[in-house]
Amino acid sequence: MEDTESFTLLPIRLDPTSKAITSTSNSRALQEELATLNNLHRSLLSIESPVPPPPIPVNPKRSANITKLRESGNTEFRKGKHQEAIKFYGLGLQMALTRPLWEPQGLVRDEVAGLYANRAQAHMAMMNWVEGAVDAEASVEAKRVGNAKAWWRRGRCLLEMGRLEEAKEWVGRGLEMEGNEADLVGLLKEIEERRKRA
Amino acid sequence: MFNIDWWSLGLPLAYVSVLLGSLIIFSSLYRKRKAAASATLAPWFPPHLQRNIYLSLLHLEPEEGKEKAPTVPESVLRAALLRRAVEDIHRIIQVRSAKQACSTLLQRGSVGDDLWQRFLRAEKEMEEELRDVVMEANALSPNWGQTIFQSANEIAANTVFRKRLDEIQAQTTAEKEWWEKKRASIKSDFMKELDGESTTPAKSSANKTGSDEDAILVESGGPAVTDKGTMKKKKGKK
C-alpha cells in the first residue's frame, strides 16, 4: 500500500444519468472492480436504509420462502415426482444464493447445504449420478461437519459410476469429518469389496 | 625535547586520525544506505485499488469543457467505501495469518530482518486504514462505522463461498460428457459380450457398471478378460 497520506488518482468518471462508474483505463483489475462496485451500488439502492443493515437480525421473508420451496420439493419427492422436486429445490437454491451479500453467510451455508443434499437425492433417484455427485459435493462444501448424508450421497454416486478410487478417498475424508458414521462405514466396506473384485 | 616529542607522536596520531576518520565515514555511509533502503522497502500489499477508487471519486476532476466537477451521489460513495472495507477484511486476514509464521521464521533466522520490518509497517498501515474507514463511514451515515466491518466481513465470506460453489457446479458439463462416453463404451462392451455368448440371458438384467462386472466375473471365459482390459484403460483416462 502507498503512504497513508496519498493515493493514486485513477482515470474514472461518473455517468451523470445512470450513476455508473466507468473508466477509460484498460486495466482488467480496475474494470472488474468497477463492475463489482456498480453491482454493489445497485443492490444498495434496492434496500430501504441508506447503508446495509448489520448482518443480524435477518429479514425473515426470504428464509420463509426458501423453507417453503424446500418443503414443496420434499412433498414432490415423496410422491415420486423427482423432476418436479428438482425444480423446486433449484428455485430454492436460486433464492438462497441471491440473498444480498451482506447477510450472514452461516445462514446461506445452512440453507444451501440442505437444498443441495436434497437435490442430490432426487437426482440419485433418477440415476443421474453425475448431477447427484456434483450437488452432494456442493452440499459438503457448504457444510462440512454434520452433513453425513451428503458425504454418503457423493460416495454412492462415485461408486455407481465406477470411480472406485475417488469414492474411497471421498468416503475416507467423510469419515474423518463425521466420526464413525454407520452409513459411511458400510459404504466404504462396499467400495473395498468392489475394488477387490475389480 | 619538545620538538622531538611532536615528531615522534606525529606518526601514531596520523594513524589514529586516519582510522577514526575511515570508521566515521563508513558508519555515516552505512547508515545513510540503510535509511534509504528502509524507505524504499517493497510494500507488503499491492496498491489498494478500492481505496484509490474511493478517493478518486472524492476528488473527481471536472470533465473537459466544464468548470465544475460532477457531484458524486452519496450512495455511490457508500458502495465504494463498502468495497474498500471488504478489501481491508481480506488484508486483515492475511496480516493475522502471516504474523505467527513470520515471527517464527524470524526467530529461527530463516528470513531477513527487512521482511519483518515490511510486515510491521503493513500492520501499522492496516490499523490506520481501518480507523480511516470507520471515520469515513461515520461521516457518510451516522453510526455506520460500528457495523460497516461486520457487513464487509459477510460480503467477503459470501463472495468466496459463492465462487467455490460456482466452481463445483461448473464441473457438471465436463463430468457429464465423460460419463456419457463411459456409459456408451460400457454398453458396447456389454453388447459384444452378449453377442459372444448368447447362451446366458441372465446378464441382460444387469445395467450398472458394477453389476455387469459381477456377471462377467462369474464366467471366466475369454471375453471377460478383454472386458477387464478395457475397463482398466478407461480408468486411466480420467
Side-chain angles (χ1 to χ4, degrees), chain A residues 41 97 101 103 131 197, chain B residues 75 154 158 162 176 209 214:
Chain A
H41 180 220
L97 289 177
L101 286 175
E103 290 192 11
E131 288 91 337
R197 272 186 287 150
Chain B
S75 59
E154 297 299 340
N158 267 317
R162 268 160 231 219
K176 229 176 158 170
T209 333
D214 298 3

Side-chain angles (χ1 to χ4, degrees), chain B residues 209-221:
Chain B
T209 333
S211 32
D212 65 27
E213 247 176 291
D214 298 3
I216 292 153
L217 279 174
V218 172
E219 57 229 45
S220 47

Side-chain angles (χ1 to χ4, degrees), chain A residues 7-157:
Chain A
F7 71 100
T8 316
L9 191 70
L10 297 165
I12 53 178
R13 58 182 290 274
L14 181 86
D15 192 319
T17 44
S18 69
K19 305 291 176 210
I21 300 170
T22 49
S23 171
T24 48
S25 144
N26 47 14
S27 139
R28 234 181 82 214
L30 179 61
Q31 296 291 359
E32 270 171 27
E33 175 54 34
L34 287 181
T36 330
L37 172 62
N38 288 329
N39 278 338
L40 182 66
H41 180 220
R42 270 197 295 280
S43 59
L44 273 182
L45 284 182
S46 64
I47 54 172
E48 295 105 23
S49 55
V51 295
I56 312 165
V58 187
N59 183 359
K61 232 192 263 166
R62 196 183 281 259
S63 309
N65 274 340
I66 293 167
T67 319
K68 216 158 83 192
L69 281 169
R70 195 177 59 218
E71 308 256 292
S72 329
N74 289 350
T75 331
E76 294 298 321
F77 183 82
R78 256 177 250 123
K79 278 191 219 153
K81 293 183 186 163
H82 304 307
Q83 199 66 52
E84 296 295 307
I86 289 170
K87 214 196 275 164
F88 276 118
Y89 293 139
L91 285 174
L93 278 172
Q94 209 177 10
M95 187 156 261
L97 289 177
T98 46
R99 254 181 205 288
L101 286 175
W102 52 83
E103 290 192 11
Q105 65 134 350
L107 178 72
V108 180
R109 275 177 187 269
D110 267 353
E111 288 168 349
V112 163
L115 284 164
Y116 271 127
N118 287 6
R119 200 167 78 173
Q121 191 183 17
H123 276 307
M124 284 171 76
M126 293 171 65
M127 307 236 269
N128 290 336
W129 308 121
V130 176
E131 288 91 337
V134 170
D135 277 350
E137 190 185 355
S139 173
V140 166
E141 177 64 33
K143 193 175 160 200
R144 282 183 189 279
V145 183
N147 202 0
K149 271 189 204 159
W151 284 103
W152 184 84
R153 281 177 195 157
R154 180 166 166 85
R156 183 89 238 168
C157 288

Side-chain angles (χ1 to χ4, degrees), chain B:
Chain B
M1 189 173 155
F2 208 60
N3 266 346
I4 297 163
D5 250 356
W6 273 116
W7 278 112
S8 58
L9 271 175
L11 203 62
L13 277 180
Y15 172 72
V16 167
S17 61
V18 166
L19 191 70
L20 282 179
S22 59
L23 280 177
I24 288 166
I25 289 170
F26 172 76
S27 109
S28 79
L29 274 182
Y30 179 73
R31 276 187 212 175
K32 256 185 217 158
R33 284 262 176 89
K34 213 171 172 192
S38 81
T40 55
L41 268 185
W44 191 268
F45 290 116
H48 198 316
L49 181 63
Q50 286 78 1
R51 178 172 175 270
N52 285 338
I53 289 178
Y54 178 74
L55 289 170
S56 299
L57 281 173
L58 283 182
H59 299 89
L60 216 53
E61 306 236 322
E63 280 171 50
E64 278 172 49
K66 284 182 195 162
E67 279 188 8
K68 242 177 77 188
T71 48
V72 181
E74 281 220 337
S75 59
V76 174
L77 285 181
R78 280 194 288 259
L81 189 64
L82 198 55
R83 284 298 305 159
R84 184 175 160 187
V86 171
E87 176 61 23
D88 285 343
I89 293 279
H90 288 304
R91 289 184 179 208
I92 295 170
I93 294 172
Q94 276 185 46
V95 164
R96 280 203 193 141
S97 53
K99 188 162 193 180
Q100 186 67 40
C102 256
S103 67
T104 322
L105 284 176
L106 185 75
Q107 274 167 15
R108 284 199 206 138
S110 309
V111 295
D113 193 47
D114 58 338
L115 187 91
W116 184 245
Q117 291 301 327
R118 280 172 60 199
F119 180 76
L120 288 182
R121 216 172 82 183
E123 206 181 16
K124 223 170 102 197
E125 274 175 4
M126 275 317 297
E127 268 171 36
E128 270 168 44
E129 164 72 9
L130 295 193
R131 217 171 299 137
D132 199 34
V133 168
V134 169
M135 260 164 49
E136 297 277 337
N138 281 333
L140 281 173
S141 171
N143 290 330
W144 192 26
Q146 288 165 15
T147 59
I148 181 171
F149 278 110
Q150 287 179 31
S151 304
N153 192 20
E154 297 299 340
I155 292 180
N158 267 317
T159 318
V160 172
F161 173 54
R162 268 160 231 219
K163 221 179 183 174
R164 186 75 196 101
L165 279 188
D166 285 344
E167 273 168 27
I168 291 176
Q169 290 292 314
Q171 302 167 10
T172 317
T173 351
E175 295 244 323
K176 229 176 158 170
E177 264 172 33
W178 170 85
W179 174 235
E180 291 300 330
K181 251 187 231 157
K182 174 158 181 181
R183 197 157 59 174
S185 69
I186 288 172
K187 225 180 210 167
S188 66
D189 280 350
F190 189 56
M191 293 311 272
K192 263 184 230 156
E193 196 87 351
L194 274 183
D195 289 342
E197 325 174 20
S198 45
T199 44
T200 49
K203 276 191 291 176
S204 58
S205 64
N207 56 354
K208 285 177 208 158
T209 333
S211 32
D212 65 27
E213 247 176 291
D214 298 3
I216 292 153
L217 279 174
V218 172
E219 57 229 45
S220 47
V225 179
T226 58
D227 178 71
K228 263 176 134 184
T230 48
M231 286 297 287
K232 285 238 175 68
K233 242 184 257 160
K234 263 174 265 139
K235 244 171 243 155
K237 229 184 343 188
K238 64 175 186 202

